[in-house]
């Protein structure tokens, strides 16, 4: 497949007028959408922004390659844009980007599509090719330049020889596996060829692992470069000098990395067992309480959200309509409750939480003990807190087992993950949960529930004030997630009021800033005003992170304003006696709340108005 099978004249913009990164992304997404290449414009843009949040796709040299692989793409395609003035795209070299290639890969893109996209990424490393694109006067000249480059490269490639005697090895990987993976690989190979150094590069792309490093390659290697922003299998490199850097360094600093590898200027890697992994940050996968907790919470969230909304919908038929013995019984309500409740999604919530916490700590061997520990916690009335304990208990129990079994003969290595870790991990975790954890945690949950039920109005308002404000402190960070996690635990315990305050507090920051950009337009740049329109949608959808760009630009004025507005909304939610059975959904689940939906909406709007007024009073007018 040729590149011009994916890039057509109707997805090319030669006179790109974008003034900011956000506007550039919007215009490129619109171009693909208008050309009929996207099934869902908003979902595709969300995937593009999610990729940008991981690391910028402004790779330097005046190039930006925003990309995403998602089911929102109808037809795998490329959009090209050229800006003479340049756009600040947060590029790695700090320079404006002039050439933009937005890559849209469908969820089911085949290897031919992915290899074609990777080929384009490699070509862009050639300065002469970039000059041709910059000089093109028409869309046909752009397409011809690409066809000429492709023909030239295919002639030069010829039959490839196996490089079994490689002295320097490298592995490249980026989260999406479309562009950066292959650009880093090509940069390393080109620089090694220029330096007269033998190299073999393994790529971990969307189409799978290509040019995989063999045991013989690793045995003969002087050193190994791992340029990766996603997990890479590391235990195979035990005993070798390994340099671990972000994938961007493979693109930007190939000479420096190769020189370090030749000098063996890197620590010798020690295998950890259990499929140890690393990313370019050099931080081990199994470190950090918050990271393990969020791994559990993020994997649990679909069960909570899906189950919670189904339960909430069942209440439309009547609060007890799921009960066959109740006069209001309805079979659809019973089906919804069965699927979403304790026999379905909610029943799996705590085991999934514990399983993924444990696997974050101990890799795959921790998953089964974590799931069983979480299941025992759920059935022993230890609830959400019991699930948290089970996850960390199982994870560190398996880490201990790995150390305990480290001295066994090498011939038994194969039975550790399939026999020793699951049997002893499940047994020990289960015994501790049954005889040590469940009973006191169950009693603690009961006491907490009674305490919340016994709180007077004043204390409930204070609780709502705190929880609502926490949602705005770091907008998706640890404090926000701590409040959100507490709310889910309360839903699991049957107390729906705290999470209502939490969702109100989480919706206020983007909604308040959207209102501020509408009514106090002189306080914001044009780009911020455009972003404010998007924040109406993000706020209505309970996506607090929409406020982050505004807070980053002016934290001293924006952050206090959104915290106060969110705290007001949380407090009012408690005053109005609102309960929320669905943990997510924003505006779309307000009709399902326990209490008066209209008053809940009023609480959110008052909080947003408070934020907007404070921002309007505190911020100064801007001059564009």
């Amino acid at each position: 497949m040729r590149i011009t099978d994916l890039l057509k004249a109707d997805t090319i913009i030669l006179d790109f007028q974008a003034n900011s990164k956000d506007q550039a992304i919007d215009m490129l997404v619109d171009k693909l959408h208008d050309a009929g290449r996207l099934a869902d414009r908003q979902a595709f843009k969300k995937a593009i922004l999610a990729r940008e949040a991981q690391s910028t796709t402004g790779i330097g040299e005046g190039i930006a390659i925003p990309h995403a692989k998602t089911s929102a793409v109808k037809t795998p395609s490329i959009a090209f844009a050229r800006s003479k003035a340049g756009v600040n795209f947060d590029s790695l070299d700090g320079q404006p980007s002039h050439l933009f290639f937005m890559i849209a890969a469908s969820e089911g893109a085949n290897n031919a599509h992915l290899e074609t996209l990777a080929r384009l990424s490699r070509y862009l490393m050639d300065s002469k090719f970039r000059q041709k694109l910059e000089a093109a006067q028409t869309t046909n000249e752009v397409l011809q330049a690409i066809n000429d480059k492709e023909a030239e490269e295919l002639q030069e490639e010829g039959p490839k020889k196996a490089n079994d005697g490689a002295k320097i090895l490298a592995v490249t990987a980026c989260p999406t596996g479309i562009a950066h993976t292959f650009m880093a690989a090509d940069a390393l190979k080109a620089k090694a060829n220029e330096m007269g150094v033998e190299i073999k590069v393994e790529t971990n792309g969307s189409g799978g692992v290509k040019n995989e490093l063999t045991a013989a390659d690793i045995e003969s290697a002087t050193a190994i470069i791992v340029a990766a922003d996603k997990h890479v299998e590391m235990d195979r490199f035990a005993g070798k000098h390994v340099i671990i850097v972000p994938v961007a360094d493979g693109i930007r600093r190939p000479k420096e990395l190769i020189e370090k590898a030749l000098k063996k200027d890197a620590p010798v890697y020690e295998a950890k067992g259990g499929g140890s992994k690393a990313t370019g940050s050099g931080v081990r996968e199994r470190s950090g309480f918050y990271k393990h907790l969020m791994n559990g919470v993020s994997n649990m969230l679909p069960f909570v959200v899906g189950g919670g909304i189904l339960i909430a919908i069942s209440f439309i038929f009547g609060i007890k309509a799921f009960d066959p013995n109740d006069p209001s019984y309805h079979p659809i309500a019973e089906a919804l409750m069965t699927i979403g409740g304790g026999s379905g999604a909610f029943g799996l919530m705590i085991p999934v939480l514990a399983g993924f916490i444990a696997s974050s700590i101990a890799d795959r061997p921790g998953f089964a003990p974590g799931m069983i520990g979480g299941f025992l916690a759920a059935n022993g009335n230890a609830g959400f807190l019991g699930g948290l304990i089970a996850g960390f208990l199982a994870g560190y129990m398996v880490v201990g087992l790995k150390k305990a079994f480290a001295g066994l003969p090498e011939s038994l290595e194969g039975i550790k993950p399939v026999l020793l870790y699951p049997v002893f991990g499940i047994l020990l975790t289960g015994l501790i949960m049954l005889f040590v954890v469940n009973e006191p945690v169950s009693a603690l949950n009961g006491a907490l529930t009674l305490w919340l039920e016994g709180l007077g109005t004043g204390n409930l308002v204070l609780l709502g004030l705190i929880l609502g404000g926490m949602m705005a402190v770091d907008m998706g960070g640890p404090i926000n997630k701590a409040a959100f996690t507490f709310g889910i635990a309360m839903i699991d315990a049957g107390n729906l009021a705290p999470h209502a305050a939490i969702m109100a507090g989480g919706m206020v920051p983007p909604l308040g800033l959207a209102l501020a950009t509408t009514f106090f337009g002189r306080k914001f740049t044009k780009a911020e005003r455009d972003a404010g329109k998007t924040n109406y949608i993000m706020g209505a959808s309970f996506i607090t992170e929409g406020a982050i760009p505004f807070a980053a630009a002016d934290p001293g004025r924006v952050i206090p304003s959104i915290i106060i507005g969110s705290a007001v909304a949380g407090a009012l939610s408690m005053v109005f006696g609102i309960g929320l059975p669905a943990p997510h959904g924003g505006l779309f689940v307000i009709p399902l709340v326990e209490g008066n939906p209209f008053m809940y909406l009023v609480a959110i709007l008052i909080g947003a108005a408070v934020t907007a007024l404070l921002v309007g009073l505190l911020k100064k007018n801007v001059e564009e």
Side-chain angles (χ1 to χ4, degrees):
M1 176 177 284
R2 301 182 70 86
I3 292 169
T4 48
D5 291 332
L6 302 177
L7 175 64
K8 301 291 186 180
D10 61 350
T11 57
I12 294 177
I13 309 172
L14 290 182
D15 186 19
F16 201 40
Q17 296 297 319
N19 296 317
S20 66
K21 179 175 181 176
D22 287 342
Q23 192 177 20
I25 289 173
D26 270 332
M27 292 174 70
L28 287 164
V29 170
D30 285 341
K31 192 68 174 173
L32 288 168
H33 183 258
D34 293 344
R37 307 301 202 275
L38 304 180
D40 187 329
R41 182 196 181 282
Q42 290 301 326
F44 177 68
K45 182 183 174 183
K46 185 177 180 181
I48 288 286
L49 294 176
R51 173 61 187 88
E52 289 297 322
Q54 292 170 331
S55 61
T56 180
T57 57
I59 60 171
E61 305 292 347
I63 304 166
I65 313 180
H67 56 274
K69 182 181 178 184
T70 167
S71 58
V73 175
K74 186 190 300 181
T75 306
S77 305
I78 302 169
F80 168 68
R82 186 182 65 195
S83 168
K84 291 184 179 179
V87 177
N88 182 3
F89 209 86
D90 301 329
S91 297
L92 297 173
D93 58 3
Q95 299 301 311
S97 296
H98 296 272
L99 300 178
F100 301 84
F101 285 88
M102 179 169 279
I103 296 173
S106 60
E107 195 69 58
N110 58 34
N111 286 343
H113 287 138
L114 297 172
E115 287 170 6
T116 303
L117 297 173
R119 196 157 64 245
L120 169 65
S121 303
R122 294 198 297 269
Y123 294 170
L124 289 170
M125 300 307 295
D126 182 345
S127 60
K128 292 181 180 177
F129 175 58
R130 296 199 302 270
Q131 288 169 7
K132 285 185 179 180
L133 294 179
E134 289 167 355
Q137 298 296 311
T138 65
T139 56
N140 284 337
E141 287 183 22
V142 170
L143 297 172
Q144 188 59 50
I146 293 171
N147 282 331
D148 290 347
K149 177 65 176 176
E150 206 159 20
E152 173 191 325
E153 290 287 321
L154 290 173
Q155 283 181 352
E156 289 179 359
E157 281 180 8
K160 294 183 179 179
K161 296 180 181 179
N163 193 4
D164 293 331
K167 297 303 179 184
I168 301 296
L169 303 180
V171 180
T172 62
C174 72
T176 309
I178 294 176
H180 289 59
T181 299
F182 302 99
M183 297 178 78
D186 273 9
L188 287 164
K189 286 189 284 188
K191 186 56 66 174
N193 185 55
E194 182 184 309
M195 296 168 67
V197 176
E198 291 182 80
I199 192 169
K200 179 177 179 180
V201 184
E202 171 187 299
T203 55
N204 287 234
S206 289
V209 175
K210 298 291 178 65
N211 207 31
E212 186 171 5
L213 303 180
T214 66
D217 292 330
I218 295 167
E219 179 65 28
S220 65
T222 303
I224 297 141
I225 300 165
V226 177
D229 286 338
K230 73 173 186 177
H231 307 315
V232 170
E233 185 61 45
M234 295 294 291
D235 277 358
R236 54 187 168 152
F237 302 140
K240 308 299 289 189
H241 294 273
V242 180
I243 302 165
I244 303 175
V245 295
V247 69
D249 283 8
I251 300 171
R252 305 297 306 161
R253 301 167 45 218
K255 182 178 181 181
E256 179 183 335
L257 295 176
I258 292 169
E259 288 174 345
K260 286 183 69 175
L262 291 172
K263 296 174 186 175
K264 297 184 179 180
D265 184 13
V268 173
Y269 185 79
E270 296 182 12
K272 307 297 181 184
S276 180
K277 300 171 184 176
T279 63
S281 63
V283 179
R284 289 287 163 250
E285 171 69 7
R286 50 174 85 95
S287 64
F289 173 88
Y290 177 72
K291 186 179 187 307
H292 303 320
L293 173 62
M294 285 303 105
N295 190 55
V297 170
S298 63
N299 282 286
M300 173 194 71
L301 200 56
F303 295 85
V304 180
V305 174
I309 290 176
L310 290 177
I311 291 169
I313 293 172
S314 78
F315 292 155
I316 293 174
F317 296 91
I319 296 299
K320 294 288 186 180
F322 63 87
D323 184 354
N325 299 317
D326 192 87
S328 65
Y329 170 73
H330 196 290
I332 294 178
E334 183 186 15
L336 291 169
M337 181 61 73
T338 301
I339 296 167
S343 300
F346 261 41
L348 289 170
M349 176 178 75
I350 292 173
V352 166
L353 169 74
F356 279 97
I357 289 174
S359 65
S360 178
I361 296 167
D363 293 310
R364 192 175 301 169
F367 186 70
M371 284 284 289
I372 297 301
F375 182 79
L376 292 172
N379 285 279
N381 296 317
F384 192 86
L385 179 58
L388 291 178
I389 294 171
F392 284 99
L393 170 65
Y396 288 113
M397 182 67 71
V398 172
V399 169
L401 289 172
K402 289 179 180 180
K403 293 179 180 178
F405 295 142
L408 291 178
E410 193 171 330
S411 59
L412 298 177
E413 194 68 30
I415 70 167
K416 288 181 184 178
V418 296
L419 178 64
L420 299 181
Y421 296 149
V423 169
F424 286 97
I426 290 171
L427 174 64
L428 294 174
T429 301
L431 289 173
I432 293 172
M433 290 302 298
L434 284 175
F435 296 108
V436 179
V437 175
N438 277 359
E439 190 171 337
V441 173
S442 177
L444 178 62
N445 281 336
L448 179 61
T449 301
L450 288 173
W451 174 73
L452 284 170
E453 290 173 352
L455 285 178
T457 302
N459 288 329
L460 281 172
V461 171
L462 178 61
L463 179 63
L465 196 80
I466 293 169
L467 292 173
M470 287 175 69
M471 292 299 290
V473 171
D474 53 2
M475 296 153 286
I479 296 173
N480 171 288
K481 287 295 188 290
F484 186 77
T485 303
F486 175 76
I488 292 174
M490 290 301 95
I491 290 177
D492 181 54
N495 193 313
L496 308 182
H499 203 77
I502 286 163
M503 192 171 84
M507 292 172 70
V508 161
L511 286 175
L513 288 163
L515 289 172
T517 59
T518 299
F519 293 103
F520 304 100
R522 293 182 181 179
K523 309 281 184 176
F524 300 91
T525 64
K526 184 179 184 303
E528 287 174 330
R529 293 195 297 273
D530 290 340
K533 297 170 187 174
T534 306
N535 266 18
Y536 280 113
I537 305 299
M538 299 184 81
S541 304
F542 185 31
I543 302 174
T544 316
E545 288 84 349
I548 289 175
F550 295 91
D554 192 358
R557 296 179 178 88
V558 171
I559 291 178
S561 300
I562 61 177
I563 290 174
I564 293 169
S566 292
V568 167
L572 288 174
S573 173
M574 289 291 193
V575 169
F576 297 149
I578 307 298
L580 182 66
H584 212 292
L587 188 67
F588 306 101
V589 297
I590 288 179
L592 308 176
V593 299
E594 197 176 79
N596 189 323
F598 176 74
M599 295 310 295
Y600 189 41
L601 187 61
V602 167
I604 294 165
L605 292 176
I606 290 175
V610 168
T611 288
L613 288 171
L614 287 172
V615 169
L617 289 170
L618 295 174
K619 280 183 70 70
K620 298 177 180 178
N621 290 347
V622 298
E623 294 182 8
E624 295 190 80

